[in-house]
Amino acid sequence: MYANYEDIQETFDDFVNKVGGESRNIKKYVRRNYVKDNSGFPREGAYFGLIKEGEEPSGGYHDLSLVVFLSNEQEDKDDRCMVALVFGSLGYRDDYDIAALPGTKRLFMNLGLNDIFIKNDFTDIQSRDGFKDFCEAKDNLYPADDGAERIPETLRNAFKKYENVIMVASLFSPHNEDETKKKLGKFIAAYANMRSWPSNKEQRKVVNELIHNSKNDEIDEEREIEKLRQLVEVRKYVVLQGAPGTGKTRMAKKITEGKKVFFTQFHAETTYSDFIYGIRPIVSKEKQNQQDHLEYEEVKGVFVRSIIEAKKAQDNAKELNKSPDEVYLIIDEINRANLSNVLGPIFYLFEPTMHESEVTIEVCPRLSLSKLPDNLRVIATMNTADKSLGGIDFALRRRFAWYTMVPHSIKADAGYEFCEEAFIDMEDIFYKYASDEELNLMPGQAYYIIADNSVELEERLRYEVMPLIKEYLAEGFLIRARDSFISYFKKWIKEEMYK
């Protein structure tokens, strides 16, 4: 194989040129080679790659580089190459901020490759445990019965001095042309994106096509609805969680179309009496002396009413010898209330696999249950951006299935427009700067669905999105993205965030 390594280099260089690695005959990188033409494979192993513009052509170097490590096995089937993002031997000089950005890791996570190692912390240059596990993993790409090692000796010799500083890596067979082009193309496109190489529309198009970044793919709503219907059918109790504008309540209503539905929205003052059962005082006049008379009446909450309806459906179905109709309870903003106080002892009944037991819970007078009706389904929604609200304890989390709804591009309904460019610009800021937790704060696609005129988009951004972003910044979220947000609103509404 080693005698033909030029073919891999030619493919590599072709991709580098297509994604903007050179502009006006000026290279935006320094090329490094440790290969010896006509001299045999180096005992230490061969590799080639790119280091940052301004570094020396030999010796130690700084920052992040893109490297292809080569192998030289006696039989072609045993050859493996590795393409990797590698930390320079002289440490970080200009790339520390890039390495520390969550978006840099996400860039490689979104390459759509199954057999890939991605270090959890790109600023960690000490540990190699994760990379060691990757090298020793069961090989799904190259079945063991072909007699090949996952990491052949000649390849291991090439990268063994760099195991601590390999940030991202993936294997490919150099004799599989399609696989070679796929792996090299994706890594080079990601590196070009990280380095901001593309300088024209065509280069950006090539980068996007090579990365095939799934975060911007439209989600098939009908398929998602069906997926959630199946989840609700099996698990019975489901929470739809996500950032504002991701369509949680809308999705809950879509799932339950044509069904018997009870709806409630929790808030900070919601009580057990509101949701389940309570006693309410009423004042009436006595007929004879017309004096005020205090009486009490029982009030069945939405939860009790949904249980009664579900049991009624069961009884009717039993008489007709058929399956009972399902009854749905939608609880909007479930984490706005103090759930321990609201649920009380019925908390025990939220168990999707519960069978009849000896434990009976008195839900209210004349209604005691050892399990909830099998045909009762509960769908709750939770806004992950509302950090001022109470959390959900682990015991309740175990009883519900959790489905995260993420912001995504959509096809708007007739008469409406989805402002995709403005949405993607906002999405790019969050993917670059947001931590995993902060990613849950991204404004959803609903903010970018407007009637067919640009004025409405400007109003949405000015009076809804910008105040939300300013609140995030005031709470200490996404601080590093502050300048990017300022530039975003200058571009889209020509207004300063701070005056």
Side-chain angles (χ1 to χ4, degrees):
M1 175 265 148
Y2 178 66
N4 299 318
Y5 78 90
E6 293 91 346
D7 295 338
I8 300 177
Q9 287 196 328
E10 184 177 338
T11 300
F12 184 93
D13 293 338
D14 183 52
F15 280 127
V16 170
N17 291 332
K18 287 180 178 178
V19 299
E22 185 173 330
S23 178
R24 299 179 180 178
N25 296 321
I26 298 176
K27 288 183 170 57
K28 302 176 183 178
Y29 59 88
V30 173
R31 181 63 178 270
R32 284 284 185 96
N33 287 339
Y34 189 67
V35 291
K36 300 179 180 179
D37 296 328
N38 303 318
S39 302
F41 190 80
R43 184 170 60 85
E44 301 88 351
Y47 55 84
F48 66 88
L50 312 175
I51 60 176
K52 194 162 63 65
E53 184 180 13
E55 294 289 331
E56 296 297 324
S58 62
Y61 67 92
H62 302 85
D63 297 326
L64 296 169
S65 61
L66 189 64
V67 182
V68 177
F69 297 101
L70 306 170
S71 68
N72 184 36
E73 298 300 299
Q74 292 184 354
E75 297 185 31
D76 287 351
K77 70 178 182 63
D78 296 337
D79 269 323
R80 302 283 184 272
C81 289
M82 178 180 287
V83 56
L85 182 72
V86 182
F87 174 75
S89 57
L90 298 182
Y92 281 120
R93 182 172 61 186
D94 302 319
D95 282 357
Y96 184 86
D97 285 345
I98 293 176
L101 281 176
T104 303
K105 185 171 74 170
R106 288 196 187 105
L107 185 60
F108 288 90
M109 291 172 65
N110 286 325
L111 292 181
L113 300 175
N114 293 325
D115 191 48
I116 186 170
F117 162 74
I118 302 177
K119 201 164 193 173
N120 182 60
D121 181 1
F122 280 14
T123 64
D124 173 17
I125 59 171
Q126 303 298 326
S127 67
R128 68 180 185 93
D129 292 345
F131 181 70
K132 179 182 177 184
D133 292 341
F134 169 77
C135 292
E136 296 175 354
K138 182 178 179 181
D139 200 328
N140 295 320
L141 290 179
Y142 311 105
D145 58 9
D146 71 359
E149 294 287 339
R150 177 175 171 83
I151 308 294
E153 183 180 2
T154 53
L155 175 60
R156 190 175 293 277
N157 286 341
F159 68 68
K160 66 181 180 181
K161 293 190 297 185
Y162 306 94
E163 290 180 298
N164 290 2
V165 293
I166 290 178
M167 304 297 158
V168 187
S170 189
L171 300 169
F172 64 92
S173 169
H175 307 291
N176 183 325
E177 183 177 356
D178 290 341
E179 185 185 22
T180 298
K181 288 183 176 180
K182 176 182 177 181
K183 295 288 179 76
L184 293 182
K186 286 180 177 292
F187 267 73
I188 291 168
Y191 189 78
N193 186 300
M194 185 186 80
R195 290 273 178 241
S196 300
W197 282 355
S199 57
N200 58 51
K201 185 176 180 180
E202 183 59 32
Q203 290 170 355
R204 287 190 288 271
K205 180 181 177 182
V206 172
V207 167
N208 288 332
E209 288 177 349
L210 287 171
I211 292 177
H212 186 57
N213 197 331
S214 61
K215 73 180 176 69
N216 288 331
D217 289 348
E218 290 180 357
I219 293 177
D220 187 326
E221 185 178 76
E222 290 303 318
R223 185 179 300 175
E224 187 174 31
I225 290 171
E226 184 57 32
K227 180 180 179 180
L228 277 168
R229 280 178 177 155
Q230 293 176 6
L231 178 62
V232 173
E233 179 65 28
V234 174
R235 290 299 304 269
K236 298 184 182 179
Y237 318 125
V238 175
V239 175
L240 305 181
Q241 63 178 350
T246 50
K248 300 179 292 298
T249 304
R250 177 176 178 272
M251 181 60 72
K253 293 178 178 179
K254 283 279 188 181
I255 296 169
T256 58
E257 280 182 351
K259 305 290 186 178
K260 180 63 178 179
V261 179
F262 292 84
F263 181 91
T264 187
Q265 187 176 66
F266 279 2
H267 53 81
E269 302 301 321
T270 300
T271 65
Y272 184 92
S273 298
D274 299 322
F275 183 58
I276 299 173
Y277 179 85
I279 300 295
R280 180 170 58 194
I282 57 174
V283 177
S284 63
K285 298 287 186 180
E286 289 189 352
K287 292 181 180 179
Q288 293 183 353
N289 56 23
Q290 295 298 306
Q291 292 181 347
D292 290 344
H293 179 68
L294 182 62
E295 297 179 349
Y296 295 89
E297 66 176 356
E298 64 176 5
V299 179
K300 295 182 175 70
V302 66
F303 182 68
V304 167
R305 299 200 305 274
S306 65
I307 291 175
I308 292 173
E309 186 67 24
K311 290 174 70 65
K312 180 181 176 181
Q314 286 182 335
D315 293 339
N316 292 339
K318 189 175 182 180
E319 291 180 6
L320 299 174
N321 195 27
K322 67 174 188 178
S323 298
D325 292 335
E326 292 177 344
V327 175
Y328 290 82
L329 171 60
I330 297 176
I331 305 173
D332 203 27
E333 304 288 1
I334 190 173
N335 59 324
R336 281 189 171 272
N338 184 324
L339 293 179
S340 296
N341 291 341
V342 172
L343 297 180
I346 70 156
F347 170 86
Y348 171 79
L349 298 175
F350 281 91
E351 186 70 62
T353 58
M354 178 178 283
H355 300 288
E356 295 285 353
S357 69
E358 297 179 356
V359 178
T360 300
I361 303 295
E362 184 179 13
V363 181
C364 67
R366 301 175 301 282
L367 180 60
S368 296
L369 299 174
S370 58
K371 61 175 294 189
L372 292 178
D374 288 332
N375 60 327
L376 178 64
R377 303 287 185 269
V378 179
I379 302 174
T381 70
M382 188 174 85
N383 184 353
T384 53
D386 203 337
K387 299 300 179 182
S388 64
L389 305 178
I392 305 294
D393 65 40
F394 289 112
L396 187 63
R397 283 188 176 276
R398 183 184 67 79
R399 286 168 163 78
F400 279 77
W402 296 77
Y403 186 91
T404 300
M405 299 190 66
V406 298
H408 60 274
S409 295
I410 63 169
K411 291 181 180 178
D413 295 335
Y416 292 88
E417 177 187 355
F418 177 64
C419 304
E420 185 169 33
E421 186 179 352
F423 171 80
I424 289 176
D425 281 355
M426 178 64 73
E427 186 181 43
D428 286 343
I429 295 173
F430 271 81
Y431 267 73
K432 183 175 183 179
Y433 292 102
S435 66
D436 289 345
E437 181 181 2
E438 290 170 339
L439 205 58
N440 292 323
L441 305 179
M442 180 183 164
Q445 64 276 4
Y447 286 99
Y448 297 87
I449 301 173
I450 63 169
D452 194 11
N453 65 78
S454 60
V455 175
E456 187 176 347
L457 174 62
E458 291 181 6
E459 290 178 350
R460 282 279 182 88
L461 295 178
R462 179 176 289 110
Y463 300 119
E464 297 180 42
V465 178
M466 188 163 69
L468 181 65
I469 297 300
K470 290 174 74 171
E471 184 178 344
Y472 289 164
L473 293 171
E475 291 291 329
F477 299 117
L478 292 143
I479 296 300
R480 292 188 63 183
R482 181 187 176 99
D483 289 343
S484 294
F485 284 133
I486 290 172
S487 298
Y488 176 89
F489 291 110
K490 278 184 181 178
K491 172 182 177 180
W492 285 103
I493 61 175
K494 298 178 175 57
E495 185 171 314
E496 293 283 350
M497 280 184 69
Y498 301 97
K499 299 176 182 179

Short mmCIF file of all heavy atoms in Angstrom, two decimals, residues 301-342:
data_model
loop_
_atom_site.label_atom_id
_atom_site.label_comp_id
_atom_site.label_asym_id
_atom_site.label_seq_id
_atom_site.Cartn_x
_atom_site.Cartn_y
_atom_site.Cartn_z
N GLY A 301 -61.17 17.97 40.16
CA GLY A 301 -60.16 18.54 39.27
C GLY A 301 -60.08 17.81 37.95
O GLY A 301 -60.69 16.76 37.74
N VAL A 302 -59.29 18.37 37.04
CA VAL A 302 -59.21 17.81 35.69
C VAL A 302 -58.67 16.38 35.69
O VAL A 302 -59.04 15.55 34.86
CB VAL A 302 -58.35 18.73 34.79
CG1 VAL A 302 -56.90 18.75 35.26
CG2 VAL A 302 -58.43 18.30 33.34
N PHE A 303 -57.82 16.07 36.66
CA PHE A 303 -57.27 14.72 36.72
C PHE A 303 -58.35 13.70 37.08
O PHE A 303 -58.47 12.65 36.45
CB PHE A 303 -56.13 14.66 37.74
CG PHE A 303 -55.46 13.33 37.84
CD1 PHE A 303 -54.71 12.83 36.80
CD2 PHE A 303 -55.59 12.55 38.99
CE1 PHE A 303 -54.09 11.60 36.89
CE2 PHE A 303 -54.98 11.32 39.09
CZ PHE A 303 -54.23 10.83 38.03
N VAL A 304 -59.18 14.03 38.08
CA VAL A 304 -60.26 13.13 38.47
C VAL A 304 -61.27 12.99 37.33
O VAL A 304 -61.75 11.88 37.03
CB VAL A 304 -60.95 13.63 39.76
CG1 VAL A 304 -62.26 12.89 40.01
CG2 VAL A 304 -60.01 13.46 40.94
N ARG A 305 -61.57 14.10 36.66
CA ARG A 305 -62.53 14.03 35.55
C ARG A 305 -62.01 13.16 34.42
O ARG A 305 -62.77 12.42 33.79
CB ARG A 305 -62.85 15.44 35.04
CG ARG A 305 -63.48 16.35 36.08
CD ARG A 305 -64.21 17.52 35.44
NE ARG A 305 -63.36 18.30 34.54
CZ ARG A 305 -62.58 19.30 34.94
NH1 ARG A 305 -62.51 19.63 36.24
NH2 ARG A 305 -61.87 19.98 34.07
N SER A 306 -60.71 13.22 34.17
CA SER A 306 -60.15 12.37 33.11
C SER A 306 -60.17 10.90 33.51
O SER A 306 -60.42 10.03 32.66
CB SER A 306 -58.72 12.82 32.77
OG SER A 306 -57.84 12.63 33.87
N ILE A 307 -59.94 10.61 34.79
CA ILE A 307 -60.02 9.22 35.27
C ILE A 307 -61.45 8.69 35.13
O ILE A 307 -61.68 7.57 34.65
CB ILE A 307 -59.55 9.12 36.73
CG1 ILE A 307 -58.04 9.38 36.83
CG2 ILE A 307 -59.88 7.74 37.31
CD1 ILE A 307 -57.53 9.42 38.26
N ILE A 308 -62.41 9.49 35.55
CA ILE A 308 -63.81 9.08 35.46
C ILE A 308 -64.20 8.81 34.01
O ILE A 308 -64.88 7.82 33.70
CB ILE A 308 -64.72 10.16 36.09
CG1 ILE A 308 -64.49 10.22 37.60
CG2 ILE A 308 -66.19 9.87 35.78
CD1 ILE A 308 -65.20 11.37 38.29
N GLU A 309 -63.75 9.68 33.10
CA GLU A 309 -64.05 9.49 31.69
C GLU A 309 -63.40 8.22 31.15
O GLU A 309 -64.00 7.48 30.35
CB GLU A 309 -63.56 10.69 30.89
CG GLU A 309 -63.95 10.68 29.42
CD GLU A 309 -65.44 10.84 29.20
OE1 GLU A 309 -66.12 11.40 30.09
OE2 GLU A 309 -65.92 10.40 28.13
N ALA A 310 -62.17 7.94 31.59
CA ALA A 310 -61.47 6.73 31.14
C ALA A 310 -62.17 5.47 31.64
O ALA A 310 -62.33 4.49 30.91
CB ALA A 310 -60.01 6.76 31.60
N LYS A 311 -62.60 5.49 32.89
CA LYS A 311 -63.31 4.34 33.46
C LYS A 311 -64.67 4.15 32.78
O LYS A 311 -65.12 3.03 32.53
CB LYS A 311 -63.49 4.53 34.97
CG LYS A 311 -62.19 4.41 35.76
CD LYS A 311 -62.38 4.73 37.22
CE LYS A 311 -63.19 3.66 37.94
NZ LYS A 311 -62.50 2.37 37.99
N LYS A 312 -65.33 5.26 32.46
CA LYS A 312 -66.60 5.18 31.73
C LYS A 312 -66.40 4.54 30.36
O LYS A 312 -67.21 3.70 29.93
CB LYS A 312 -67.18 6.59 31.58
CG LYS A 312 -68.50 6.66 30.84
CD LYS A 312 -68.96 8.11 30.75
CE LYS A 312 -70.23 8.21 29.91
NZ LYS A 312 -70.68 9.64 29.79
N ALA A 313 -65.31 4.92 29.66
CA ALA A 313 -65.01 4.32 28.36
C ALA A 313 -64.74 2.83 28.49
O ALA A 313 -65.11 2.03 27.62
CB ALA A 313 -63.81 5.04 27.73
N GLN A 314 -64.07 2.45 29.57
CA GLN A 314 -63.82 1.03 29.82
C GLN A 314 -65.12 0.26 30.01
O GLN A 314 -65.31 -0.82 29.45
CB GLN A 314 -62.91 0.86 31.04
CG GLN A 314 -61.46 1.22 30.81
CD GLN A 314 -60.61 0.99 32.05
OE1 GLN A 314 -61.11 1.00 33.18
NE2 GLN A 314 -59.32 0.77 31.85
N ASP A 315 -66.04 0.82 30.81
CA ASP A 315 -67.32 0.15 31.07
C ASP A 315 -68.13 0.01 29.79
O ASP A 315 -68.73 -1.05 29.52
CB ASP A 315 -68.11 0.93 32.12
CG ASP A 315 -67.45 0.91 33.49
OD1 ASP A 315 -66.63 -0.01 33.71
OD2 ASP A 315 -67.73 1.80 34.30
N ASN A 316 -68.17 1.07 28.98
CA ASN A 316 -68.91 1.02 27.73
C ASN A 316 -68.32 -0.01 26.78
O ASN A 316 -69.05 -0.76 26.11
CB ASN A 316 -68.92 2.39 27.05
CG ASN A 316 -69.74 3.41 27.81
OD1 ASN A 316 -70.61 3.05 28.61
ND2 ASN A 316 -69.47 4.69 27.57
N ALA A 317 -66.99 -0.06 26.73
CA ALA A 317 -66.32 -1.01 25.84
C ALA A 317 -66.58 -2.45 26.28
O ALA A 317 -66.72 -3.35 25.45
CB ALA A 317 -64.83 -0.72 25.80
N LYS A 318 -66.63 -2.64 27.58
CA LYS A 318 -66.87 -3.99 28.12
C LYS A 318 -68.26 -4.48 27.71
O LYS A 318 -68.44 -5.65 27.34
CB LYS A 318 -66.73 -3.97 29.63
CG LYS A 318 -66.76 -5.35 30.27
CD LYS A 318 -66.48 -5.25 31.77
CE LYS A 318 -66.47 -6.64 32.40
NZ LYS A 318 -66.20 -6.56 33.85
N GLU A 319 -69.25 -3.59 27.75
CA GLU A 319 -70.59 -3.98 27.35
C GLU A 319 -70.66 -4.32 25.87
O GLU A 319 -71.42 -5.20 25.46
CB GLU A 319 -71.56 -2.84 27.66
CG GLU A 319 -71.80 -2.60 29.15
CD GLU A 319 -72.77 -1.46 29.39
OE1 GLU A 319 -73.32 -0.94 28.38
OE2 GLU A 319 -72.98 -1.09 30.56
N LEU A 320 -69.86 -3.62 25.08
CA LEU A 320 -69.87 -3.84 23.63
C LEU A 320 -68.82 -4.84 23.18
O LEU A 320 -68.67 -5.11 21.98
CB LEU A 320 -69.62 -2.51 22.91
CG LEU A 320 -70.67 -1.41 23.16
CD1 LEU A 320 -70.23 -0.10 22.52
CD2 LEU A 320 -72.03 -1.85 22.61
N ASN A 321 -68.06 -5.38 24.17
CA ASN A 321 -67.02 -6.38 23.88
C ASN A 321 -66.00 -5.86 22.86
O ASN A 321 -65.70 -6.50 21.85
CB ASN A 321 -67.66 -7.67 23.36
CG ASN A 321 -66.68 -8.84 23.40
OD1 ASN A 321 -65.75 -8.87 24.20
ND2 ASN A 321 -66.87 -9.80 22.50
N LYS A 322 -65.47 -4.67 23.15
CA LYS A 322 -64.44 -4.10 22.27
C LYS A 322 -63.42 -3.36 23.12
O LYS A 322 -63.60 -3.19 24.35
CB LYS A 322 -65.06 -3.15 21.25
CG LYS A 322 -65.65 -1.90 21.85
CD LYS A 322 -66.12 -0.95 20.77
CE LYS A 322 -66.53 0.40 21.37
NZ LYS A 322 -66.94 1.36 20.33
N SER A 323 -62.37 -2.90 22.50
CA SER A 323 -61.33 -2.17 23.22
C SER A 323 -61.83 -0.77 23.57
O SER A 323 -62.51 -0.13 22.76
CB SER A 323 -60.06 -2.06 22.38
OG SER A 323 -59.53 -3.34 22.08
N PRO A 324 -61.49 -0.28 24.76
CA PRO A 324 -61.99 1.04 25.16
C PRO A 324 -61.27 2.17 24.43
O PRO A 324 -60.10 2.05 24.05
CB PRO A 324 -61.66 1.09 26.66
CG PRO A 324 -60.50 0.17 26.83
CD PRO A 324 -60.70 -0.93 25.83
N ASP A 325 -61.96 3.28 24.21
CA ASP A 325 -61.34 4.46 23.64
C ASP A 325 -60.33 5.03 24.63
O ASP A 325 -60.55 4.97 25.85
CB ASP A 325 -62.40 5.52 23.34
CG ASP A 325 -63.32 5.10 22.21
OD1 ASP A 325 -62.91 4.29 21.38
OD2 ASP A 325 -64.47 5.58 22.18
N GLU A 326 -59.26 5.59 24.09
CA GLU A 326 -58.25 6.19 24.97
C GLU A 326 -58.65 7.61 25.34
O GLU A 326 -59.24 8.34 24.54
CB GLU A 326 -56.88 6.17 24.28
CG GLU A 326 -56.31 4.77 24.12
CD GLU A 326 -54.99 4.76 23.37
OE1 GLU A 326 -54.68 5.79 22.74
OE2 GLU A 326 -54.28 3.75 23.43
N VAL A 327 -58.32 7.98 26.55
CA VAL A 327 -58.58 9.32 27.05
C VAL A 327 -57.24 9.98 27.34
O VAL A 327 -56.34 9.36 27.93
CB VAL A 327 -59.44 9.27 28.33
CG1 VAL A 327 -59.61 10.66 28.93
CG2 VAL A 327 -60.80 8.64 28.03
N TYR A 328 -57.10 11.24 26.92
CA TYR A 328 -55.83 11.94 27.06
C TYR A 328 -55.97 13.14 28.00
O TYR A 328 -56.95 13.88 27.95
CB TYR A 328 -55.33 12.44 25.69
CG TYR A 328 -54.88 11.34 24.78
CD1 TYR A 328 -55.80 10.61 24.04
CD2 TYR A 328 -53.53 11.01 24.67
CE1 TYR A 328 -55.38 9.58 23.20
CE2 TYR A 328 -53.11 10.00 23.83
CZ TYR A 328 -54.04 9.28 23.11
OH TYR A 328 -53.62 8.26 22.28
N LEU A 329 -54.95 13.30 28.83
CA LEU A 329 -54.83 14.48 29.68
C LEU A 329 -53.55 15.21 29.29
O LEU A 329 -52.45 14.64 29.36
CB LEU A 329 -54.77 14.09 31.16
CG LEU A 329 -54.42 15.21 32.15
CD1 LEU A 329 -55.44 16.34 32.09
CD2 LEU A 329 -54.29 14.66 33.56
N ILE A 330 -53.69 16.45 28.84
CA ILE A 330 -52.52 17.27 28.49
C ILE A 330 -52.26 18.25 29.63
O ILE A 330 -53.15 19.01 30.03
CB ILE A 330 -52.75 18.05 27.18
CG1 ILE A 330 -52.95 17.08 26.01
CG2 ILE A 330 -51.57 18.99 26.91
CD1 ILE A 330 -53.28 17.79 24.69
N ILE A 331 -51.04 18.19 30.17
CA ILE A 331 -50.63 19.12 31.24
C ILE A 331 -49.57 20.05 30.66
O ILE A 331 -48.43 19.65 30.44
CB ILE A 331 -50.06 18.39 32.46
CG1 ILE A 331 -51.05 17.34 32.98
CG2 ILE A 331 -49.71 19.38 33.56
CD1 ILE A 331 -50.49 16.46 34.08
N ASP A 332 -49.95 21.27 30.36
CA ASP A 332 -49.02 22.23 29.78
C ASP A 332 -48.18 22.86 30.89
O ASP A 332 -48.69 23.19 31.96
CB ASP A 332 -49.82 23.31 29.05
CG ASP A 332 -49.00 24.01 27.98
OD1 ASP A 332 -48.06 23.40 27.45
OD2 ASP A 332 -49.32 25.18 27.68
N GLU A 333 -46.87 23.02 30.61
CA GLU A 333 -45.93 23.65 31.56
C GLU A 333 -45.95 22.92 32.91
O GLU A 333 -46.11 23.53 33.97
CB GLU A 333 -46.30 25.13 31.77
CG GLU A 333 -46.35 25.94 30.49
CD GLU A 333 -44.98 26.21 29.89
OE1 GLU A 333 -43.97 25.76 30.46
OE2 GLU A 333 -44.92 26.88 28.85
N ILE A 334 -45.70 21.62 32.89
CA ILE A 334 -45.81 20.80 34.11
C ILE A 334 -44.85 21.24 35.20
O ILE A 334 -45.13 21.09 36.39
CB ILE A 334 -45.60 19.31 33.77
CG1 ILE A 334 -45.95 18.44 34.99
CG2 ILE A 334 -44.18 19.04 33.28
CD1 ILE A 334 -45.93 16.95 34.71
N ASN A 335 -43.71 21.83 34.84
CA ASN A 335 -42.73 22.19 35.87
C ASN A 335 -42.98 23.56 36.47
O ASN A 335 -42.20 24.05 37.29
CB ASN A 335 -41.31 22.13 35.30
CG ASN A 335 -41.11 23.06 34.12
OD1 ASN A 335 -42.02 23.23 33.31
ND2 ASN A 335 -39.94 23.64 34.00
N ARG A 336 -44.09 24.21 36.13
CA ARG A 336 -44.39 25.52 36.73
C ARG A 336 -44.97 25.37 38.14
O ARG A 336 -44.98 26.32 38.91
CB ARG A 336 -45.37 26.30 35.85
CG ARG A 336 -44.70 26.96 34.67
CD ARG A 336 -45.66 27.89 33.96
NE ARG A 336 -44.93 28.67 32.96
CZ ARG A 336 -44.33 29.82 33.18
NH1 ARG A 336 -44.35 30.33 34.40
NH2 ARG A 336 -43.70 30.46 32.23
N ALA A 337 -45.48 24.20 38.47
CA ALA A 337 -46.12 24.00 39.77
C ALA A 337 -45.19 23.23 40.70
O ALA A 337 -44.22 22.60 40.27
CB ALA A 337 -47.43 23.24 39.60
N ASN A 338 -45.50 23.27 41.98
CA ASN A 338 -44.82 22.45 42.97
C ASN A 338 -45.43 21.05 42.88
O ASN A 338 -46.50 20.78 43.44
CB ASN A 338 -45.00 23.03 44.36
CG ASN A 338 -44.23 22.27 45.42
OD1 ASN A 338 -44.09 21.04 45.36
ND2 ASN A 338 -43.73 22.98 46.41
N LEU A 339 -44.79 20.15 42.16
CA LEU A 339 -45.41 18.88 41.82
C LEU A 339 -45.68 17.99 43.04
O LEU A 339 -46.65 17.25 43.06
CB LEU A 339 -44.54 18.13 40.81
CG LEU A 339 -44.45 18.80 39.43
CD1 LEU A 339 -43.53 18.00 38.52
CD2 LEU A 339 -45.81 18.93 38.81
N SER A 340 -44.84 18.06 44.04
CA SER A 340 -45.08 17.26 45.24
C SER A 340 -46.39 17.64 45.90
O SER A 340 -47.16 16.77 46.35
CB SER A 340 -43.93 17.44 46.23
OG SER A 340 -42.72 16.96 45.70
N ASN A 341 -46.68 18.94 45.92
CA ASN A 341 -47.93 19.41 46.52
C ASN A 341 -49.13 19.12 45.62
O ASN A 341 -50.21 18.79 46.09
CB ASN A 341 -47.86 20.91 46.81
CG ASN A 341 -46.88 21.23 47.93
OD1 ASN A 341 -46.53 20.35 48.71
ND2 ASN A 341 -46.44 22.47 48.00
N VAL A 342 -48.93 19.27 44.32
CA VAL A 342 -50.04 19.10 43.38
C VAL A 342 -50.45 17.64 43.26
O VAL A 342 -51.64 17.31 43.24
CB VAL A 342 -49.67 19.68 42.00
CG1 VAL A 342 -50.75 19.32 40.96
CG2 VAL A 342 -49.50 21.18 42.08
#
